[in-house]
């Protein structure tokens, strides 16, 4: 089989890239290791920056988002006895939208099927060949048939554990592993808050997020090697009530439908291009979820790359030649912001560290300049 762009990985980055290229008349083929059901079922963060919402709408993917997405003016920052609302809309005129990544993936999958763009799911042994010359990708398809796709360009959208990054010789890698993890909880209960609560607490960080008016999403800071079996539903609700509690406020509880421990790391690999191989999304970088940047950064990479590849097909290589450097400017901005939110809100170190965190929180909710810096980064810099 031959195509213009072969995309390894059909998560949000791969699916969106295929869609955007298709809008510009560029053919692509997706090659995904898992089944479509598996990809769609992944529970991930659900905050869309203003720029992401605009891009999805412009790409014809905003129908359900406009109905089911919940627009939030800002977030609540909290420490014991204190809860402060940071209003992004007042501060910088931009808001964010709560819309689960699984919903974005569902919309992207539906668009792919409607457009009839080819995708191989359950592809085994995906291997990249000759990425600096005439690239191809080989694999065994779901029927056990050996396949080869020849392409002008290969794009690695295969996440942190995919093979594409390994096809870049001598990459420069930066990594920070944090001394804590998140216990993620999904519960069938109406949120007890209008907008997200990020809470600093002596026992550890806690967050109150949501998926819909009837489904709440929570996170608790736990040890990196935490045994989830040690966390009964009662213990989870007690910890959430303690860490999220402020005078006069009650946390509503309900049936817990999912719980899992999520690792926390920062990771950046450069360059994001090698010959005719490009990387986008988690294949090139990982951010701790505290700043809700993972999906939004994947969207930014893909928006940039789709524009660059379209220009290259039309004979102008300036954008593809600048892709890695341009993408990495935003990657490092979002990596810093995610590290900053994570370091400010999670208990680690000694009491001196705790006092520094509380001073930073106090500054952020009392200084307009400090609050604007948080707002601009959280709501997202223009794409
Ligand atoms: N062959 C083919 N596909 C692969 C392989 C492989 N060897 N290895 C991984 N994949 C697929 C995965 O199954 C997954 O569907 O690549 C896809 C990568 O998708 P994501 O990990 O979701 O990464 P990305 O599309 O960049 O989206 C980033 O998703 O992981 C979250 O927090 C992250 O929100 C961010 C967003
Ligand atoms: C989520 O809803 O899963 C979520 C929201 C905000 C974050 C991280 C996760 O910063």
């Amino acid at each position: 089989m031959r195509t213009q762009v072969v995309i390894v990985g059909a998560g949000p980055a791969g699916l969106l890239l295929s869609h955007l290229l298709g809008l510009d008349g560029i053919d692509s083929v997706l090659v995904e290791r898992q089944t479509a059901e598996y990809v769609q079922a992944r529970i991930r963060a659900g905050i869309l920056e203003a720029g992401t919402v605009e891009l999805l709408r412009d790409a014809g993917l905003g129908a359900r988002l406009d109905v089911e997405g919940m627009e939030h003016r800002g977030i609540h920052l909290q420490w014991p006895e204190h809860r402060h609302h940071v209003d992004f809309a007042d501060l910088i005129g931009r808001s964010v939208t709560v819309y689960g990544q699984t919903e974005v993936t569902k919309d992207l999958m539906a668009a792919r099927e409607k457009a009839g763009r080819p995708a191989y799911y359950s592809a085994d042994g995906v291997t990249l060949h000759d990425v600096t010359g005439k690239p191809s990708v080989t694999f065994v398809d779901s029927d056990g048939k050996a396949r080869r796709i020849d392409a002008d360009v290969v794009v690695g959208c295969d996440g942190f554990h995919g093979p594409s990054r390994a096809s870049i010789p001598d990459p420069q890698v930066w990594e920070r592993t944090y001394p804590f993890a998140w216990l993620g909880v999904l519960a069938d209960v109406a949120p007890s808050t209008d907008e997200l609560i990020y809470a600093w607490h002596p026992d550890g960080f806690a967050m109150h997020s949501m998926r819909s008016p009837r489904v709440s999403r929570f996170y608790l800071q736990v040890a990196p090697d935490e045994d989830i079996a040690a966390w009964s539903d009662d213990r989870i609700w007690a910890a959430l009530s303690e860490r999220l509690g402020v005078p006069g406020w009650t946390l509503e509880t309900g049936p817990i439908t999912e719980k899992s421990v999520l690792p926390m790391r920062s990771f950046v690999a450069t360059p994001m291009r090698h010959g005719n191989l490009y990387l986008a999304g988690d294949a090139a970088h990982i951010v701790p979820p505290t700043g809700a940047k993972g999906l939004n950064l994947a969207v930014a990479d893909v928006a940039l790359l789709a524009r660059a590849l379209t220009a290259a097909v039309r004979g102008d290589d300036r954008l593809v030649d600048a892709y890695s450097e341009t993408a990495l400017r935003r990657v490092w901005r979002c990596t810093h912001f995610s590290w900053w939110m994570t370091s400010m809100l999670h208990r680690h170190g000694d009491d001196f560290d705790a006092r520094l965190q509380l001073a930073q929180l106090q500054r952020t909710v009392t200084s307009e300049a400090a609050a604007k810096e948080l707002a601009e980064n959280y709501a997202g810099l223009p794409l």
Side-chain angles (χ1 to χ4, degrees):
M1 179 185 223
R2 176 159 190 83
T3 185
Q4 290 175 281
V5 181
V6 58
I7 302 170
V8 181
L15 285 163
L16 181 58
L17 179 61
S18 172
H19 182 83
L20 295 179
L21 291 174
L23 293 178
D24 283 333
I26 295 178
D27 294 330
S28 63
V29 177
L30 285 156
V31 181
E32 164 60 48
R33 179 173 65 180
Q34 305 291 353
T35 63
E37 296 70 24
Y38 182 95
V39 174
Q40 193 167 298
R42 278 198 202 105
I43 293 176
R44 290 278 168 64
I47 298 293
L48 302 185
E49 293 175 2
T52 299
V53 172
E54 193 179 331
L55 180 134
L56 293 172
R57 275 199 195 113
D58 291 350
L61 296 162
R64 211 157 62 92
L65 167 57
D66 285 336
V67 173
E68 297 178 23
M70 298 175 280
E71 187 171 0
H72 283 198
R73 294 178 59 87
I75 59 173
H76 299 282
L77 282 186
Q78 175 173 318
W79 59 94
E81 312 282 317
H82 299 267
R83 178 178 291 167
H84 296 266
H85 187 246
V86 181
D87 193 309
F88 306 152
D90 280 349
L91 286 160
I92 60 169
R94 285 203 305 281
S95 60
V96 294
T97 298
V98 176
Y99 188 67
Q101 179 173 311
T102 45
E103 304 315 313
V104 175
T105 305
K106 271 182 201 164
D107 294 343
L108 286 165
M109 284 176 156
R112 187 197 64 75
E113 283 173 27
K114 186 178 175 190
R117 280 193 298 278
Y120 288 91
Y121 283 94
S122 305
D124 219 10
V126 175
T127 309
L128 287 69
H129 305 275
D130 195 11
V131 296
T132 58
K134 296 188 180 306
S136 65
V137 169
T138 56
F139 58 95
V140 176
D141 72 13
S142 53
D143 298 326
K145 188 175 177 186
R147 297 270 183 179
R148 193 186 85 208
I149 303 176
D150 296 325
D152 303 326
V153 161
V154 184
V155 181
C157 294
D158 44 350
F160 184 69
H161 301 290
S164 296
R165 191 171 63 248
S167 302
I168 295 189
D170 308 324
Q172 196 169 1
V173 171
W174 292 266
E175 184 157 15
R176 167 71 49 89
T177 303
Y178 297 89
F180 38 76
W182 275 8
L183 170 58
V185 175
L186 210 53
D188 281 343
V189 60
S192 302
T193 177
D194 56 346
E195 298 187 339
L196 272 56
I197 302 169
Y198 288 74
W200 182 96
H201 189 278
D203 296 349
F205 169 78
M207 184 202 292
H208 189 330
S209 183
M210 58 195 74
R211 286 291 177 273
S212 76
R214 288 165 304 286
V215 177
S216 292
R217 177 71 167 162
F218 300 96
Y219 295 102
L220 280 166
Q221 174 184 343
V222 293
D225 57 355
E226 189 76 22
D227 176 5
I228 199 161
W231 285 87
S232 67
D233 291 7
D234 289 347
R235 185 183 176 197
I236 287 171
W237 288 121
L240 286 170
S241 298
E242 169 59 29
R243 298 185 193 184
L244 291 168
V246 288
W249 180 84
T250 307
L251 176 64
E252 297 301 323
T253 65
I256 288 177
T257 56
E258 193 269 345
K259 46 180 139 177
S260 54
V261 176
L262 314 169
M264 300 281 271
R265 76 159 64 89
S266 295
F267 177 91
V268 179
T270 66
M272 291 173 61
R273 176 194 185 184
H274 179 63
N276 294 313
L277 167 64
Y278 298 82
L279 302 183
D282 276 18
H285 42 72
I286 296 284
V287 287
T290 324
K293 287 298 157 207
L295 175 58
N296 292 292
L297 200 44
V299 168
D301 287 349
V302 161
L304 185 66
L305 184 54
R307 213 165 35 246
L309 292 174
T310 301
V313 163
R314 294 168 182 162
D316 179 353
D317 285 351
R318 284 174 300 172
L319 291 180
V320 285
D321 291 344
Y323 167 69
S324 184
E325 185 185 347
T326 308
L328 282 164
R329 275 201 295 274
R330 190 183 190 94
V331 167
W332 280 112
R333 170 82 321 264
C334 291
T335 296
H336 175 272
F337 174 67
S338 302
W339 162 84
W340 177 80
M341 282 280 275
T342 300
S343 305
M344 174 173 68
L345 285 161
H346 291 74
R347 277 298 285 122
H348 60 94
D350 57 21
D351 289 347
F352 179 70
D353 294 299
R355 298 306 305 182
L356 294 180
Q357 290 172 325
L358 291 170
Q360 180 66 58
L361 279 163
Q362 180 81 27
R363 172 71 180 165
T364 302
V365 301
T366 54
S367 152
E368 185 177 349
K372 275 188 175 179
E373 176 62 6
L374 166 60
E376 285 199 7
N377 279 281
Y378 194 104
L381 305 176
L383 278 179

